Amino acid sequence: MANTIVETYLLPGSPKEVNCPNLIRKKVVEDVQTGGQCDSETFAPVEAKILELMRLSSFPHFVRFVEGKQMSPSDARPTSQGAQ
């Protein structure tokens, strides 16, 4: 299962490649492909980065689109309430 996730979402040029920092991507891919760590926490760093990108970029753009107005850069800044 882990290999399927890597091949589908993490390898450069994969069919559904996600936006993830290269350092995190390399570590997770290496862990899975070398038979290293592969448990429920293996993909946690990738998940955290994807959620961060959604919160800081994708969601504000979506809201701006829906509201039909421009957001200032400060509107997309993280808040202590949003960080968990």
Side-chain angles (χ1 to χ4, degrees):
M1 177 79 154
N3 280 317
T4 301
I5 293 170
V6 165
E7 292 168 3
T8 305
Y9 300 101
L10 294 178
L11 291 178
S14 58
K16 297 181 181 181
E17 185 178 356
V18 296
N19 188 3
C20 179
N22 203 34
L23 258 171
I24 293 172
R25 176 190 317 269
K26 282 183 178 181
K27 172 75 170 111
V28 171
V29 169
E30 181 180 307
D31 286 347
V32 171
Q33 290 182 338
T34 62
Q37 177 189 351
C38 195
D39 57 25
S40 62
E41 294 299 310
T42 301
F43 297 99
V46 175
E47 177 187 14
K49 279 298 178 184
I50 291 170
L51 291 174
E52 179 183 9
L53 285 169
M54 288 174 64
R55 181 173 50 86
L56 296 176
S57 182
S58 300
F59 185 70
H61 288 295
F62 170 75
V63 169
R64 184 176 66 231
F65 173 77
V66 170
E67 292 178 348
K69 67 173 189 165
Q70 291 290 332
M71 292 178 68
S72 69
S74 64
D75 291 337
R77 290 196 184 120
T79 63
S80 59
Q81 185 180 27
Q84 294 180 7

